[in-house]
Amino acid sequence: MWVKIEEFDLILLLKAIKPKMKITKTRKRWSIILLLLAIIIIIGCFPSTPQNPIQYYERESGQLKTEKVAGEKWLVWLYNNPIGEATLWALVKRKLVSSIYGKMMDRTSSAKRIHHFIEDFDIDMSGVQEREFNNFNDFFTRKLKDNVRPVDTSFNTVVSPADGKILAYADISNSDFVIKGFRFDVSSFLDNPVLAQKYRNGALFIIRLAPVDYHRFHFPVSGNLTPDKKVEGYYYSVNPFALRKKAEIFCLNKREYTILSNPLFGDVIMAEVGATMVGSIVQTHEGSSAKKGEEKG
């Protein structure tokens, strides 16, 4: 009887202790999880590496100016903080996020942001066709009056296809060139090694449109057109804050291009590159030929 009682008591004791052991293990797990979350939050809130301002020469005044960047703190955090970079990789660079943001900017409630945006960035609205917008995307894709951007009709000139900051290369040599110390491969950008060889000694103009800029784009020369070639990709920001960390963004982002055949300039490639929160590239031009200055999209 003594043995049986001891065994019985031992079983009861173990049954009484086991739930406590489970509680202790659960607490330890939660402690570890909370500790990890605290570390992530601390790293996420830790100040990012200070960035040099974005400066550019304004051609009209000849002055060196500093660009005011929409969402600057957000951009710097995404590309210069470990948690920000993880967020960028997991979410921000993907189409879903830009699509959701685009739908939000299609809502009539988004129109409330327009007035403050214009004031914050001192946007000149004098040349805009419409002053009333249904939503923020209407404002973002605003049209200009016909006489606001006069087009040089001379046969031997190329006009800027868009408003923006320009980076120019006279000769890209051997189908690649350097942007901020990184090699950029034209073959990868075009997704066509054979076509890239044709432009191995070509000239290149990169026009970067900031969120504050007029976002429609126009043909730089007249010519016959090939159908648009679409290259699937991500939606990284093309702001210099991002390019300083990842210059290959041009080859990673979604992009489209067409070739204009011009008697004087030959075959000119015009390409559009997508970016964060710009989920779509809309081509508005129809037909197999275009005149210089006509809207492309």
Side-chain angles (χ1 to χ4, degrees):
M1 289 295 293
W2 278 106
V3 174
K4 288 182 179 179
I5 291 172
E6 285 179 356
E7 287 178 353
F8 182 71
D9 287 346
L10 181 61
I11 291 169
L12 289 177
L13 182 63
L14 287 173
K15 284 184 177 179
I17 291 174
K18 200 168 184 180
K20 291 182 180 179
M21 291 173 67
K22 284 184 178 179
I23 292 171
T24 303
K25 287 181 179 179
T26 302
R27 284 177 178 172
K28 284 183 178 179
R29 288 196 193 102
W30 275 108
S31 297
I32 293 170
I33 291 170
L34 290 173
L35 178 61
L36 289 173
L37 285 173
I39 292 171
I40 290 171
I41 291 170
I42 291 169
I43 295 173
C45 295
F46 193 79
S48 302
T49 306
Q51 297 294 302
N52 292 326
I54 300 169
Q55 294 185 309
Y56 63 95
Y57 283 100
E58 186 180 67
R59 294 178 63 194
E60 188 175 2
S61 65
Q63 295 179 340
L64 181 65
K65 294 199 169 186
T66 299
E67 182 177 345
K68 185 176 181 181
V69 180
E72 179 173 342
K73 290 182 179 179
W74 169 248
L75 278 171
V76 172
W77 181 77
L78 277 175
Y79 289 89
N80 294 277
N81 181 286
I83 303 303
E85 290 178 6
T87 305
L88 173 68
W89 180 86
L91 293 172
V92 179
K93 73 174 187 177
R94 304 185 187 279
K95 183 177 181 179
L96 177 63
V97 173
S98 292
S99 296
I100 291 172
Y101 182 80
K103 291 183 184 299
M104 290 171 61
M105 294 302 102
D106 277 335
R107 294 178 179 176
T108 54
S109 58
S110 67
K112 297 176 183 178
R113 304 179 56 179
I114 297 172
H115 177 71
H116 296 294
F117 193 81
I118 292 171
E119 285 195 339
D120 287 347
F121 293 94
D122 193 25
I123 298 173
D124 182 7
M125 297 293 290
S126 61
V128 177
Q129 282 188 13
E130 300 291 337
R131 295 297 187 89
E132 298 295 329
F133 304 99
N134 294 323
N135 52 55
F136 194 85
N137 275 341
D138 275 355
F139 162 73
F140 191 75
T141 58
R142 59 193 178 275
K143 289 187 175 184
L144 299 180
K145 297 174 183 176
D146 293 337
N147 61 346
V148 173
R149 298 288 185 273
V151 177
D152 185 343
T153 57
S154 303
F155 76 96
N156 59 347
T157 60
V158 177
V159 299
S160 175
D163 288 1
K165 311 299 185 296
I166 298 175
L167 184 63
Y169 293 85
D171 185 352
I172 59 177
S173 299
N174 299 318
S175 79
D176 63 1
F177 53 96
V178 177
I179 296 180
K180 300 294 182 183
F182 293 89
R183 303 300 290 181
F184 178 98
D185 182 51
V186 177
S187 175
S188 297
F189 177 76
L190 297 176
D191 194 31
N192 188 328
V194 176
L195 181 61
Q197 284 298 312
K198 185 176 180 179
Y199 296 89
R200 61 184 179 275
N201 296 313
L204 174 79
F205 288 87
I206 299 174
I207 297 95
R208 177 177 61 85
L209 281 65
V212 301
D213 291 320
Y214 166 68
H215 258 70
R216 292 178 182 264
F217 44 94
H218 303 254
F219 291 102
V221 296
S222 300
N224 294 320
L225 306 173
T226 63
D228 277 314
K229 161 73 174 177
K230 297 183 179 181
V231 182
E232 292 302 319
Y234 293 115
Y235 295 82
Y236 288 103
S237 170
V238 293
N239 185 279
F241 287 138
L243 291 170
R244 289 170 186 172
K245 291 284 290 187
K246 206 174 186 69
E248 64 270 28
I249 282 172
F250 290 116
C251 295
L252 297 175
N253 275 14
K254 174 185 176 179
R255 51 205 182 274
E256 298 181 13
Y257 64 86
T258 189
I259 301 174
L260 295 87
S261 295
N262 179 277
L264 179 62
F265 298 104
D267 290 343
V268 178
I269 292 179
M270 183 174 178
E272 300 85 38
V273 180
T276 305
M277 306 309 173
V278 183
S280 60
I281 300 170
V282 179
Q283 305 291 346
T284 59
H285 183 271
E286 296 180 353
S288 58
S289 63
K291 291 183 179 180
K292 180 166 55 175
E294 280 186 334
E295 183 181 295
K296 184 176 187 292

